[in-house]
Amino acid sequence: MNVVNMSSQDKKTDSDPRHEEDQSSTASEDNKQMICLGNNEVKSRAVVKYSAAPPSSSYALLQEKTDLKLPPANWLRENPQLGTAGTTVLGSSRKSNPFSSFGMAYDFIDCIGDDVDVVSDSENIKKLLKIPYSKSHVSMAVHRVGSTLLLDELDIQELFMRSSQTGDWTWLKEFYQRLIDQKWQRKKKSKEHWNEKAILSKFLYYSINSDGTAVPVPSDTEQAAEEGCGTAAEGPSWPATFSSSTTESEESAIPKEEQVDTYALGHVSSVPKEQNLPTLFNEGENSQDLRNDFVRNILWTFEDIHMLVGSNMPIFGGGRYPAVSLRLRDNNKPINVLTGIDYWLDNLMCNVPELVMCFHVNGIVQKYEMIKTEDIPDLENSTFSTRVVKDIAQNILSFLKSNCTKEGHTYWLFKASGSDIVKLYDLTTLCEEAAEEKCQNPFTLPVAVLLYKVASNMILKKSQNRKNYGTIRTLLLNCIKLLDEERHPQIIASAHYMLAELFQLDDVSEDEDGESLRGGGSEDSYSDEEEEEEEEEDESCSYSTSSEPQDDSKAVAIIKSVRELSVPEKYKSTHQIRPNYAFPVSQDKEEKCRLVLSYVLKSLKSVDSSIKKESDLPAADPSTPIPLKYEERSQNGARDVEQEIALLLDRVGPCNEELKVPTRSGMLPGTWQHRMKLQLFLKASKAYYVLSDAATNLLKYGRALRYIKLALQCHDAYCSISGGLHPQVLLFHCQCLSLCGDVQLMLAQNASNRAAYLEEYNYQTKDDQEILHCLHRESSCQAFSMATDLASDPEYQLIISSKCYEAAHDLLTSGVLKDQGQEQLGQVLKRLGNIRNEIGVFYMNQAAAMQAEKQEVHRSVCMAEQELWKKSFSFSCFEKGMQDFNAISDSVNTALLLCNIGRLMRICAQAHCVTTSEHSRGEFSPEEALYYNKAIDYYQRALKSLGCRESHSAVWDSVNWELSTTYFTLATLLQDYAPLSRKAQEQIEREVTETMMKSLRYCDLQTESARQPLYQYRAATIHHRLASMYHSCYRNQVGDESVRKQHRALAEQHYSKAVRLFISLSDAPCEMLRTLLERVAFAEFTMAGQNSSAVKLKTLTGALEIMCETRHAFKLIHKDLLEQQEKMLTPEDSDKPEELHSDSSSSSELNTEEVVKLIGVFEPSFSFLLLQLIKLSTASKRKVSGKEEEQVKIYKNVYSRLLRAEKSIPLIQRVFLFMELLDQLKTPTGSDEARSSS
């Protein structure tokens, strides 16, 4: 057996935005009611969301024979126990507020869209569920918001009375008369009806009266009440107008506490909370009966249907009956099915388990009867199936959801009195066909506002998933479509801003709380059960019972017979009420930002159109571009920029300051226009910032500068209308300044593409032009013009970049942001250090170029050159750059900066090179030594900053190479241009040796890297130079024989190491050949000082072995010559890259030149060795062995071929000949080194 779960849970809910006068429940909060309904069970659950009634108290049991025609003493006095029910039974006969569902929807906005299927007055729900049982008419307005349907009574007769007075809705009146009821008239309620209403009212007041006595009421009061009964029915319950909005003067007259701030319009990370709440619409629009007048609002789940219903039914309790409903019945009239369904549904909705029935005859109380809710469907003469009622509810909901598909449209569900046909019309479409303005539909504004509020509520939910952004976008677009921009600029501006906010341009998420729009008071009547029965009789005159549809083409859908509603699952919802709208989030940043800017522009236009003050500004043509001029800056331009950007700090003030005077456009501070513009300017600035950043990543620097210029112009306009800047706004502004500095730096580094960048910079879209015109209504937008101009001077652009970074740094270190921008401060300091390094390198390169010119004309150091050195080193460049990097402990960049200073010192050293009167290089000067030693000091500091190679291997290797190079250059100059006029030869040799060995120490020969061959070449060169120096010392040394022997040993050692290193290289054959020839010459010089023939023979044999090692060098030379010859013979190779040609040709030319010179030394030296060997071998007195004799023959043969060789043959042939001759000598020498070299 199924049961009905009727529980009343806590009334205090998170989604309840209304002030709760009383949180008490009308039923027990601790015990859930379980009600069994025989074989007709349905599932029902009710949760009171809001209740304005006091704790339920017991009712007064009237004595038998009490005359209800006599008024009690408390009649028509306000009583919280009855709420509005008692007074309005007579005070007003309005059956329903035509916008009651909107009042509930505004108060419980969390439920709208997905959680609730239906929002309506309980009377409307009952009327729909009784359609198959009742012949009375049904006329309801239906609106869809998401998957929620809002149902309101649409009183056609009252609309037509309004039409005759105002001229509105004439098209609907004509449509109704033509297609539905050709004759209509309004019949007043009978006197008997009003007498029954009066008795009911007095009965309720008696029931709450402690003594239950009748007290005479002054006749004028009773007469006035009865007159009210007769006239109230005629009064319109519709708002007076929906087309006018409150003026600014009217708005200012509204008490401040009544003006309600609404949705926070999306988070803006950089806007303070108090600036982030623009009012949605003023109280004038809010007060047009869009109120929740119900005593209680209930979330009622009936089977699988979730409904938010409003009810005014009085509920009594206390004692053994915790919650009961009180009803008055004429004992002469039996309870029918309609009355039973009415009682049953009321108790289900309000979670009341029992019903107390008071019977009377002609106003005289007869008896009381207690009936349980689950027994109501089985009452005599009132039997009905709860299952059928459930099927009716499901079918009606499915029918409406399947056909009310257009969000924002007003649908009309209509059934004529006595007819079985139910029709659904789309009044919005009919209105458009009638060519009347959309404001003629009184539901337009409430629907638009509700769409807006649902969208804003969905955005405000912290758990909101981005997948619902498509739904939010659809809600807002439909809201905008419904409204007229001239009448409702504020809502349209807010909606467009929310559309822009859907595209988040940053990662900051700050949720602001918005308040729901609500009104106060309640005038809805508590309708008793008799009204429905009387409508069957009375309203049959108002609606034609014989009218059949003459033309159904206008109807959206038709239920051909109300009996179909009782068939289970007769109507199934085939239309997805809320399809998964695809939110157009493009991965392309530019497209996304362009959408944001288009919405911002529309919102700005709405705001500007609402500012009611004629501006003195000349009218601008939006189609005329505003030129973004650029100027060629002079040397004084940098100072102008510095002064201009420094003015930004003057704008920084307390963020709670308010402007006291109207803005440039006449906008008053504190108005919704002012708050909206603040957010729009900031949103546009962010969009342009993202566009600039994206363009920078695409290397489109002209476009990037244009976008950052627009971003800063938006910020300038924001500053112009803001009393003070919030810290988050300042942080974002620092980002803009940093990006502007980045763009200017890139433009300076890519000056060759300036023409293309200029074209990008001057291009403007129509939206950009119109946004600029909107900005110019509030500001001249010139605060950052110099910082964002496209200049042609790279030095000026570098200075501009530096000043932008400095301005950002000053902001971040100011008192306002001192504790909030630490992360950003580190990035700005890094940029500041980098730009100062770039400026230093720029001046350093200029100094190097000036030095190159000086070398051509052999001038001395000039003042301009010295000034460039000073600028590069100290003037906001290297020195300050190191301070910036040290502040953030950036050891790598500090090392690079020290490395650049080392290079600057080397340039200074080269500039102090001494030239003689013959324009030749003079001695190595003390100034050169000073600057080279300074360079060495900076390089060593760079290595110390890095600590170890593992910290940053690439930078470490670079600094290590530069340090080795500096030592090598210093030693080479000291050796080649020895300062003999100031120092002794021995001292110079000692310094050269020490410096060369230091350079050798920094030659990393073990680590495999791209520089390893360079290190090997340098090490070989160092050993060669040292060997040559000791060779020279040995030749020139006279006296101490031990010193000569030491020099000889050192020369041999360094020659040997140099040869070994050159052999490991494949691209230095000339250097290897030269080293070997010097080593042979060293052996020859040694032999000259020997007296013994045997010793001489041994020395010559060793020299010949060294000469044979030259075969490896000749082999490499021969290979290079062959490649050069092949290139000359194969013109197809001309397609190869120029770099290969230039490298190979330069190396070939060098090799050829050097080879010819070296061969000129090789041939006589080789001939001399062979000749001396032949002479010493043949002149020997001892007996010659056969092997030695054979060796002498080879010497003679080689010597003979060498003498007969033609000098005029091509070089490649001569080299090949030398290779053959050396091969002949290879075997008899038996040298391991010769074997290895071959």
Side-chain angles (χ1 to χ4, degrees), residues 656-663 667-670 674 720-724:
N656 56 358
E657 288 186 5
E658 290 290 340
L659 292 177
K660 305 299 182 185
V661 295
T663 64
M667 183 174 60
L668 297 176
H674 180 249
S720 298
I721 64 174
S722 176

Side-chain angles (χ1 to χ4, degrees), residues 272-289:
K273 194 168 185 177
E274 60 271 12
Q275 291 182 354
N276 201 21
L277 297 169
T279 308
L280 169 61
F281 44 76
N282 54 50
E283 191 70 19
E285 293 174 347
N286 182 22
S287 62
Q288 303 192 37
D289 250 6

Side-chain angles (χ1 to χ4, degrees), residues 67-185:
D67 189 356
L68 297 179
K69 292 191 293 295
L70 297 177
N74 61 346
W75 191 41
L76 300 182
R77 295 178 185 174
E78 290 186 10
N79 190 292
Q81 180 66 24
L82 294 180
T84 59
T87 56
T88 56
V89 165
L90 284 180
S92 172
S93 67
R94 291 189 314 173
K95 286 175 286 188
S96 176
N97 182 338
F99 302 102
S100 60
S101 67
F102 290 92
M104 284 189 286
Y106 291 166
D107 283 353
F108 302 99
I109 201 72
D110 279 344
C111 301
I112 309 303
D114 294 315
D115 298 339
V116 171
D117 296 305
V118 176
V119 179
S120 185
D121 184 349
S122 60
E123 298 300 319
N124 295 333
I125 299 293
K126 292 188 293 182
K127 187 177 291 187
L128 284 177
L129 299 185
K130 292 186 291 185
I131 283 180
Y133 302 95
S134 172
K135 293 185 179 180
S136 64
H137 88 289
V138 175
S139 176
M140 292 190 190
V142 184
H143 297 90
R144 179 174 80 81
V145 177
S147 60
T148 302
L149 297 176
L150 279 70
L151 305 179
D152 295 282
E153 182 177 1
L154 186 62
D155 192 332
I156 280 292
Q157 306 297 347
E158 189 172 313
L159 272 181
F160 292 166
M161 291 186 66
R162 172 180 168 81
S163 173
S164 61
Q165 296 171 4
T166 64
D168 298 339
W169 294 84
T170 54
W171 60 272
L172 182 58
K173 182 177 180 180
E174 294 172 359
F175 170 76
Y176 180 83
Q177 290 178 329
R178 185 174 72 252
L179 297 182
I180 299 173
D181 197 356
Q182 296 180 356
K183 296 181 180 179
W184 70 274
Q185 59 180 353

Side-chain angles (χ1 to χ4, degrees), residues 1084-1111:
E1084 291 176 353
F1085 178 78
T1086 303
M1087 183 200 69
Q1090 296 171 347
N1091 299 320
S1092 171
S1093 297
V1095 175
K1096 286 185 177 182
L1097 183 60
K1098 184 179 179 181
T1099 304
L1100 287 173
T1101 303
L1104 187 61
E1105 290 179 357
I1106 296 173
M1107 188 64 80
C1108 287
E1109 292 181 24
T1110 60
R1111 183 187 180 281

Side-chain angles (χ1 to χ4, degrees), residues 689-715:
Y689 171 85
V690 175
L691 284 171
S692 179
D693 186 52
T696 303
N697 294 333
L698 294 173
L699 311 182
K700 302 289 186 180
Y701 301 124
R703 185 192 306 174
L705 185 62
R706 170 166 55 89
Y707 284 140
I708 200 63
K709 182 183 181 79
L710 289 165
L712 288 170
Q713 286 176 322
C714 292
H715 182 81

Side-chain angles (χ1 to χ4, degrees), residues 32 308 1004:
K32 294 185 178 180
L308 179 64
D1004 187 359

